[in-house]
């Protein structure tokens, strides 16, 4: 299977023009056919980017679990699907921490997104304080976060799930995990997904991936790709990433 390069722009860039400029780099990367290139786009830019008909697989970063109704400010997964999204992130640590999303809410969103026909990239990862408690405690936490976040998947939904392992202490901090260590945790998550759901989900690593370290992550056989935040949302950094991968 080709490795996945998934960009997560978060709440960036400010204008559609900048988004198109950044997107042209992703489109170039996708054109080379070496990797599967995905973009979790800010919802506002989804339609204009979809209309460019490039090889980049487009998705959104979050959505609400109801299909429609009086939920001011929210967007639904069926809306995203009809605008051309093929996947969504769910349970990103910024959603869990800043917007207080718990496993139960995440599970409802996962279920709604799968029912809408989207692939779900479920984000999980431990906090720095938990990591300090050691490997056993961390593994227990990750296993529980995984099973709880996926407690409501509809029948057959397993085949549309990808995991992103993102240790919270590594997100946006420049402190990436050592690739071998990430590979170890990811192998554990694959075992756990087989145990809980009878299927080995593909797993991406996320957390301070950049042009300098991406090749080392891609060399680990257990790691199916990367979810890249900061380094995918700035033209220069994304250009460097693209060169590192070509
Ligand atoms: P980062 O973010 O690459 O900026 O660390 C990754 C993510 O949050 O998905």
């Amino acid at each position: 299977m080709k490795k996945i390069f998934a960009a997560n722009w978060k709440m960036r860039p400010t204008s559609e023009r900048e988004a198109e400029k950044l997107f042209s780099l992703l489109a170039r990367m996708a054109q080379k056919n070496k990797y599967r290139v995905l973009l979790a786009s800010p919802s506002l830019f989804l339609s204009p980017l979809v209309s460019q008909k490039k090889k980049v697989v487009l998705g959104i970063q979050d959505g609400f679990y109801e299909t429609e109704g009086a939920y001011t400010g929210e967007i639904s997964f069926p809306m995203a699907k009809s605008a051309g999204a093929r996947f969504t992130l769910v349970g990103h640590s910024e959603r869990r921490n800043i917007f207080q999303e718990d496993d139960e809410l995440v599970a409802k969103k996962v279920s709604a997104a799968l029912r809408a026909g989207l692939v779900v990239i479920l984000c999980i990862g431990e906090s720095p304080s938990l990591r300090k408690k050691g490997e056993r405690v961390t593994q227990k936490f990750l296993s529980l976060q995984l099973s709880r976040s996926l407690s409501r998947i509809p029948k057959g939904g397993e085949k549309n799930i990808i995991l992103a392992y993102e240790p919270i202490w590594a997100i946006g901090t420049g402190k990436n995990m050592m690739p071998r260590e990430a590979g170890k945790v990811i192998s554990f998550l694959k075992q756990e997904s087989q145990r809980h759901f009878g299927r080995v989900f593909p797993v991406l690593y996320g957390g301070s991936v950049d042009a300098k370290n991406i090749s080392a992550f891609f060399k680990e056989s257990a790691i199916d790709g990367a979810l890249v935040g900061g380094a995918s949302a700035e033209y220069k950094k994304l250009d460097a990433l693209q060169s590192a991968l070509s």
Side-chain angles (χ1 to χ4, degrees), residues 1-7 29 34-38 121-122 162-167 177 179 182-183 186-187 189-190 201-210 213-229 241 245:
M1 196 177 97
K2 271 188 215 158
K3 299 259 179 189
I4 297 171
F5 178 90
M29 199 188 285
K34 239 172 125 181
Y35 305 98
R36 281 172 66 200
V37 181
L38 275 62
I121 301 184
L122 172 72
I162 298 175
L163 303 181
Y165 169 57
E166 301 202 299
M177 196 174 209
I186 285 175
S187 299
L189 289 173
K190 289 186 168 179
F201 302 133
V203 188
L204 316 179
Y205 167 79
S208 296
V209 175
D210 60 21
N213 59 32
I214 193 157
S215 308
F217 284 108
F218 278 13
K219 271 191 198 122
E220 289 294 321
S221 58
I223 302 181
D224 297 298
L227 181 57
V228 185
L241 262 167
L245 287 177

Side-chain angles (χ1 to χ4, degrees), residues 8 10 12 92 94 166 170-173 206-209 227-231:
N8 172 17
K10 309 191 180 187
R12 291 180 290 227
H92 190 281
E94 284 148 19
E166 301 202 299
I171 296 179
T173 56
S208 296
V209 175
L227 181 57
V228 185

Side-chain angles (χ1 to χ4, degrees), residues 10 14 26 28 31 41 46 48 53 60 80 86 102 119 135 147 197 199 233:
K10 309 191 180 187
T14 305
L26 290 175
R28 205 187 300 159
Q31 195 55 37
S41 168
L46 182 67
K53 297 195 186 331
I60 54 168
R86 309 230 324 254
D102 59 12
V119 166
E135 189 180 332
S147 59
F197 305 100
R199 192 177 178 98

Side-chain angles (χ1 to χ4, degrees), residues 86-100:
R86 309 230 324 254
F87 76 94
T88 181
L89 304 182
V90 181
H92 190 281
S93 64
E94 284 148 19
R95 302 290 325 166
R96 292 179 189 263
N97 295 332
I98 305 169
F99 302 97
Q100 275 91 46

